[in-house]
Amino acid sequence: MSYSGFRVIKEALTGHRGWGPAWRTPEPKSDYDYVIIGGGGHGLATAHYLAKEFGQSRIAVIEKGWIGGGNVGRNTTIIRSNYLLDGNEPFYEFSLKLWEGLEQDLNYNAMVSQRGILNLIHSDAQRDAFTRRGNAMILNGADADLMTTEQIQKRYPFLNVNNARFPIKGGLAQHRGGTVRHDAVAWGYARAADRRGVDIIQNCEVTGFRIENGKCLGVETSRGFIGAKKVAACVAGSSGRLMEKAGMRLPIESHVLQAFVSEGLKPVLPGVITFGAGHFYCSQSDKGGLVFGGDIDGYNSYAQRGNLPVVEDVCEGGMAIFPMLGRVRLLRMWGGIMDMSMDGSPIIDRTHIDGLYFNGGWCYGGFKATPASGFAYAHLLATGRPHETATAYRFDRFEKGRMIDEKGMGNQPNLH
Amino acid sequence: MIINHPLLGPRDAAEFTYLGDAKMIHRPDWQADDALAQFTAYGYLRDNPAGPHRELWFHEQGDRSWLVVTRDTTTHEITDVQLARDVARAEGRSK
């Protein structure tokens, strides 16, 4: 059943009795060609592109909880492609282009809203760095716009441009960036994949891998063994816990990142704004809440909740640029678990075990990457070769000294 | 989180900075035949357990001592705190 405006009108006139479930609830089969572990945004996108773009079939997505219940439902919904390095920028720009056509591709309203993202500049050195980044973006086919303080004041009159310590001296804008309704991304991909025959199996936890003679034959799950020609791990946040079952140590630590949403307000914030002197970013949801966040807590955690010092730090960052934030009441705060990699960039690669593939290490930037991650992972699984925009996301880049370290922080995951 | 410092008593975790897995106390032998593989693992690979984790914290806003804190990564409960120096010596490191 395709969704459309006509369909909505027809259902409205017939008592909404024609809507069915958006995807099936199949029993797991004994074997598949592809088993994707993790029914989050990336796993469901992988299944969708495997079926649609690469013509593959006999695909299952197995999920420990319910789809959309992990990080795809816990992030701050921002999309952008404002990276600097060659290993990253083409990939994220590919992702942004996929976002732009996502709703037509999925026949699902994911509320993709290109309201723009602005990174604020607070010093001359930062202006130089952001100019360079903007040029790198343009070279890779993205859009970038270096805005003056006057232009920023006109568009965002509530910003405190004269902060004594961190005055606003301009900004790097990407007007094609924006926000997407995060749950709808998971649901849209799930429905689109299901319509192409992908089995989405929820409440099915992977308890181990069956590996014989260096080859992965399938996964042991809470609902029995499921055989697979190719097993694709896609559980960023829990990668350490999962891959330990295959005997692997990863260049990844799990960290908690907190996010916050205020009470609902009338429209005040047109777009996404990030503070350049601390770590704070904010957008306004379509329901009216200000959605914001900042740094990770900085210590290994699987707890999905953080501590108060970071709450204070995030709110201080917010107050430095939006003094109006002080009048707003916080409605909710929560934590999500990030795969923090050693260079701040992800991994989409095969493992040393034949038939076992890995996608993870997304740090706190996984949401914007969802479409390209799914596409690139599907490309690797179906063709055996990395997608042209994802060739740098290899396991061996640490050993070879080919890190993709946007901020130049070194191998300290809590600094990325 | 409150870290019960062995010398200073209970201190707010915000006074500390975090390095990571306490296994980093033991640097590999740079003259070993497989030194490259050992240093790659030392620098870049982590156990990253869900559960008890021994980790290095630095009391940057305090007495600048390094601590080995045993903390559960699923609950944040801290069960043991020792001076990293004592741990390193007990585990056979000479300096």
Side-chain angles (χ1 to χ4, degrees), chain A residues 352-366:
Chain A
H352 68 282
I353 298 162
D354 195 19
L356 179 59
Y357 294 74
F358 179 80
N359 175 326
W362 290 98
C363 299
Y364 41 83

Side-chain angles (χ1 to χ4, degrees), chain B residues 23-53:
Chain B
K23 285 182 179 169
M24 283 187 278
I25 287 175
H26 300 288
R27 289 173 66 83
D29 175 9
W30 65 276
Q31 290 180 308
D33 289 340
D34 61 344
L36 177 64
Q38 281 194 45
F39 270 100
T40 302
Y42 176 81
Y44 299 109
L45 301 181
R46 298 287 179 265
D47 289 343
N48 195 22
H53 188 226

Side-chain angles (χ1 to χ4, degrees), chain A residues 11-31:
Chain A
E11 291 296 335
L13 296 174
T14 54
H16 290 290
R17 282 187 292 271
W19 303 115
W23 53 84
R24 299 165 294 131
T25 307
E27 285 299 309
K29 299 192 183 94
S30 62
D31 70 314

Side-chain angles (χ1 to χ4, degrees), chain A residues 239-241 249-256 298-303 305-307 309 342 398-399 403 411-412 414, chain B residues 1 12 14 18-21 23 36 40-41 43-51 53 55 57 71 73-76:
Chain A
S239 293
R241 271 200 277 198
R249 295 174 82 215
L250 302 174
I252 286 168
E253 288 178 1
S254 295
H255 284 256
V256 59
Y299 44 80
N300 285 41
S301 174
Y302 286 95
R305 60 189 166 75
N307 273 292
M342 284 289 165
F398 304 99
E399 184 188 337
M403 267 71 79
N411 58 339
Q412 186 60 36
N414 62 355
Chain B
M1 288 189 298
D12 192 325
Y18 178 82
L19 183 66
D21 195 330
K23 285 182 179 169
L36 177 64
T40 302
Y44 299 109
L45 301 181
R46 298 287 179 265
D47 289 343
N48 195 22
H53 188 226
E55 53 203 21
W57 290 74
R71 190 179 56 92
T73 58
T74 61
T75 62
H76 298 167

Side-chain angles (χ1 to χ4, degrees), chain A residues 26-77:
Chain A
E27 285 299 309
K29 299 192 183 94
S30 62
D31 70 314
Y32 291 91
D33 285 357
Y34 299 91
V35 165
I36 297 162
I37 305 169
H42 290 215
L44 294 164
T46 305
H48 167 68
Y49 292 118
L50 262 178
K52 177 159 189 268
E53 301 293 335
F54 299 95
Q56 303 297 307
S57 56
R58 293 182 13 96
I59 304 164
V61 177
I62 54 180
E63 164 58 45
K64 178 172 75 171
W66 63 94
I67 64 167
N71 286 337
V72 74
R74 302 179 83 84
N75 59 74
T76 45
T77 78

Side-chain angles (χ1 to χ4, degrees), chain B:
Chain B
M1 288 189 298
I2 302 290
I3 295 175
N4 193 10
H5 194 297
L7 304 176
L8 305 175
R11 308 298 305 180
D12 192 325
E15 295 176 5
F16 295 78
T17 54
Y18 178 82
L19 183 66
D21 195 330
K23 285 182 179 169
M24 283 187 278
I25 287 175
H26 300 288
R27 289 173 66 83
D29 175 9
W30 65 276
Q31 290 180 308
D33 289 340
D34 61 344
L36 177 64
Q38 281 194 45
F39 270 100
T40 302
Y42 176 81
Y44 299 109
L45 301 181
R46 298 287 179 265
D47 289 343
N48 195 22
H53 188 226
R54 288 171 77 245
E55 53 203 21
L56 288 164
W57 290 74
F58 178 52
H59 200 191
E60 189 174 36
Q61 307 293 324
D63 71 343
R64 302 182 74 76
S65 57
W66 281 95
L67 304 181
V68 174
V69 176
T70 306
R71 190 179 56 92
D72 192 313
T73 58
T74 61
T75 62
H76 298 167
E77 185 192 8
I78 293 171
T79 51
D80 186 48
V81 184
Q82 297 181 58
L83 288 173
R85 181 183 58 193
D86 295 346
V87 172
R89 284 190 180 147
E91 292 178 2
R93 233 185 89 162
S94 60
K95 56 184 177 179

Side-chain angles (χ1 to χ4, degrees), chain A residues 164-237:
Chain A
R165 178 69 183 84
F166 300 115
I168 293 170
K169 296 197 162 192
L172 179 66
Q174 183 175 34
H175 301 301
R176 285 164 60 240
T179 60
V180 181
R181 171 91 173 99
H182 52 182
D183 304 305
V185 175
W187 301 331
Y189 274 121
R191 175 169 165 274
D194 179 84
R195 292 175 87 195
R196 291 181 183 275
V198 172
D199 283 357
I200 297 168
I201 302 158
Q202 304 182 73
N203 299 307
C204 180
E205 181 176 359
V206 169
T207 54
F209 296 91
R210 187 174 290 180
I211 298 167
E212 287 174 13
N213 301 321
K215 180 164 173 51
C216 185
L217 304 177
V219 288
E220 308 285 352
T221 75
S222 55
R223 295 170 68 173
F225 175 75
I226 301 174
K229 288 182 183 145
K230 291 180 179 173
V231 175
C234 197
V235 297

